[in-house]
């Protein structure tokens, strides 16, 4: 069962979540391969179909700047971004992040994306499961929320497989694809530290 103890606000665990042939590692803006993978992931048409970044990463320089900005938030303890890597080869497969960390209510929002060549291998499912267990045990969080655009059935399946049941539909809670002046509905899923542990298979 996941631990539910609360950590001090300045606690920044160094433990690297790993399992299922994956390792959740740190992004490094000085590593060109990391920057290139970040840019490819966030510029991918399937990613942009379901996500509308506030500042699109239009080139490698923009991707590096976005990564640096997220790492600055991580240093402040408001998010925990992870590079999903193959445990043997260290090849980047995608990203999973614990975002909008609220130390008072011990809650956060989780998001993820997987590179096209890594899809169909349950990478998102395994990475999300690792990140959720880590956030409860190492950050002392109690509630993790996961929201995805209505119609994103693949994300819905990943959420349910990792013990994030559907809780309802949020009206107009995220931007339409490629637009910041129109909104679409969101499916809300959540997992609590006290929920039964999942048995995600390899």
């Amino acid at each position: 069962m996941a631990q539910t103890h609360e950590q001090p606000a300045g606690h920044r665990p160094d433990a690297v979540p790993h399992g299922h042939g994956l390792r959740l590692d740190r992004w490094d803006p000085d590593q060109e391969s990391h920057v290139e993978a970040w840019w490819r992931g966030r510029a991918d048409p399937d990613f942009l179909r379901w996500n509308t970044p506030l500042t699109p990463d239009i080139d490698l320089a923009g991707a590096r700047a976005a990564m640096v900005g997220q790492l600055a938030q991580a240093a402040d303890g408001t998010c925990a971004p992870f590079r999903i890597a193959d445990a043997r080869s260290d090849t980047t497969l995608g990203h999973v992040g614990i975002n909008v960390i609220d130390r008072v209510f011990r809650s956060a929002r989780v998001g993820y994306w997987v590179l096209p060549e890594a899809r169909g291998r349950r990478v998102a499912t395994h990475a999300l499961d690792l990140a959720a267990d880590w956030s409860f045990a190492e950050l002392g969080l109690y509630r993790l929320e996961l929201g995805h655009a209505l119609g994103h059935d693949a994300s819905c399946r990943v959420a349910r497989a990792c013990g994030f049941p559907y809780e309802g539909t949020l009206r107009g809670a995220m931007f339409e694809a490629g637009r910041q002046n129109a909104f679409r509905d969101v499916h809300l899923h959540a997992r609590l530290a006290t929920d039964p542990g999942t048995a995600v298979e390899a």
Side-chain angles (χ1 to χ4, degrees):
M1 179 179 291
Q3 302 176 39
T4 59
H5 58 282
E6 185 171 6
Q7 299 289 354
H11 181 71
R12 298 190 185 98
D14 294 323
V16 175
H18 61 279
H20 307 294
L22 303 177
R23 187 179 69 255
L24 303 189
D25 212 343
R26 308 300 181 181
W27 289 98
D28 184 351
D30 295 324
Q31 292 279 344
E32 293 301 324
S33 62
H34 288 203
V35 176
E36 192 269 343
W38 177 285
W39 177 72
R40 284 200 304 116
R42 289 168 55 90
D44 178 70
D46 197 56
F47 172 85
L48 294 174
R49 177 185 178 190
W50 301 113
N51 302 274
T52 305
L54 289 175
T55 305
D57 301 343
I58 60 175
D59 54 24
L60 290 176
R64 192 188 309 274
M67 186 187 297
V68 168
Q70 188 152 103
L71 293 177
Q73 294 179 46
D76 290 338
T78 56
C79 75
F82 288 108
R83 180 177 70 99
I84 307 171
D86 183 279
R88 291 186 178 181
S89 66
D90 195 44
T91 301
T92 301
L93 304 176
H95 167 86
V96 61
I98 310 299
N99 308 306
V100 198
I101 296 173
D102 187 323
R103 297 288 181 173
V104 175
F105 289 99
R106 295 169 59 193
S107 65
R109 299 175 189 167
V110 64
Y112 52 86
W113 50 261
V114 175
L115 289 168
E117 64 269 23
R119 293 173 189 159
R121 295 159 44 187
R122 304 200 73 197
V123 170
T125 300
H126 290 147
L128 175 59
D129 194 54
L130 289 171
D133 286 345
W134 178 88
S135 70
F136 295 138
E138 299 296 331
L139 298 182
L141 298 183
Y142 181 73
R143 177 179 169 88
L144 276 182
E145 295 185 351
L146 186 159
H148 64 78
L150 191 66
H152 195 345
D153 295 337
S155 223
C156 212
R157 289 192 297 270
V158 168
R160 292 178 185 274
C162 291
F164 286 74
Y166 168 69
E167 292 192 340
T169 299
L170 306 177
R171 296 178 301 151
M174 69 182 298
F175 291 135
E176 287 279 3
R179 301 177 62 186
Q180 295 185 7
N181 61 350
F183 298 86
R184 54 183 162 177
D185 295 348
V186 169
H187 266 186
L188 175 65
H189 299 255
R191 177 172 160 183
L192 305 181
T194 52
D195 285 342
T198 60
V200 175
E201 298 178 357

